[in-house]
Amino acid sequence: MASTNAPIAAVTANTASVMKPTLLSVRNVAKTFGRNVVLRNVSLEIAEGEFLTILGESGSGKTTLLRIIAGFESAGSGELWMGSDRLDEQPPYRRKINTVFQSYALFPHLTVEQNVAYGLRVARRPEAEIAQRVSEALDKVKMTAHAKAKPSKISGGQQQRVAIARALCMAPKIMLFDEPTSALDPEMVKEVLDSMLALALDGMTMLVVSHEMGFARQVADRMILMDAGQIIEMNEPGAFFDHPQHERTKQFLRQILR
């Protein structure tokens, strides 16, 4: 069983991730909603360029953890650090972190390229810079051909790729994905996972809540299982799937891999 306060080297066999500098530190983060304890002193270090998959049943705390990292929820206690910057003291728009949600949350009256450019225009970036960054982001997710289309004219998988481009356009240091394929038909899942794989190959640091086990085993540097607001196991994918240490992990894998 991996301690929630253990350093990376103690909980993963992935030497490459250990040797990279730490980009994000989550330190003893706790959260309650009323009498419901959602997170229990969670500690975690994410290396630069790491792909981390977070698993757990509904109510295990994984989405709340992402929302606290993004700044959409405040922790009851604990700290978040990115290098020497104390993140939990900064509003979401100042954090170099962007989130892709289950729902695409695109503006229906805007075109694909206008949706992708939205955050940059709010930030009052120069139009030449906006045009270049939008073009690069759409190319990354293979949506350039649909730049002038409205969201209603493209598929769910394509809409999610636009949401990824919109997040990517803001030049985040970390991207968070909260079940990005759960609202998609099976035939649309692969195109979204391919876009995520391209980001991973480019070295984007990514925290992904997902039950796409085959994809996670192929791409992730580490796997985490959360249960009752705690990290109960953390390891590289081969060991996580083939040699789980915690009985709760074994039970979870039996259920999800049936």
Side-chain angles (χ1 to χ4, degrees), residues 32-59:
T32 60
F33 292 107
R35 295 183 179 180
N36 184 27
V37 180
V38 182
L39 294 175
R40 304 171 187 267
N41 297 322
V42 172
S43 291
L44 176 66
E45 291 191 344
I46 297 96
E48 184 178 329
E50 185 172 16
F51 189 114
L52 186 67
T53 297
I54 305 175
L55 304 174
E57 292 185 347
S58 178

Side-chain angles (χ1 to χ4, degrees), residues 14 24 66 83 115 184 247:
N14 191 335
L24 176 68
L66 288 195
N115 268 282
L184 299 177
E247 185 57 38

Side-chain angles (χ1 to χ4, degrees), residues 182-255:
S182 64
L184 299 177
D185 293 333
E187 63 269 19
M188 298 178 185
V189 169
K190 183 179 183 301
E191 60 189 78
V192 174
L193 296 182
D194 284 347
S195 293
M196 294 170 64
L197 175 59
L199 295 181
L201 293 174
D202 275 353
M204 175 62 70
T205 306
M206 302 162 71
L207 276 69
V208 181
V209 172
S210 176
H211 288 155
E212 298 290 343
M213 295 295 97
F215 178 75
R217 184 161 193 160
Q218 174 193 3
V219 179
D221 295 297
R222 285 187 294 163
M223 308 286 296
I224 282 177
L225 180 66
M226 294 189 66
D227 186 63
Q230 296 178 298
I231 295 173
I232 64 170
E233 187 151 349
M234 175 160 39
N235 215 327
E236 55 86 23
F240 184 89
F241 285 108
D242 297 336
H243 305 288
Q245 300 299 302
H246 197 283
E247 185 57 38
R248 183 68 187 89
T249 311
K250 297 175 185 178
Q251 180 186 15
F252 178 84
L253 291 175
R254 283 195 299 267
Q255 292 173 341

Side-chain angles (χ1 to χ4, degrees), residues 8-25:
I8 289 178
V11 293
T12 178
N14 191 335
T15 306
S17 293
V18 174
M19 294 177 65
K20 293 179 181 178
T22 297
L23 181 58
L24 176 68
S25 293

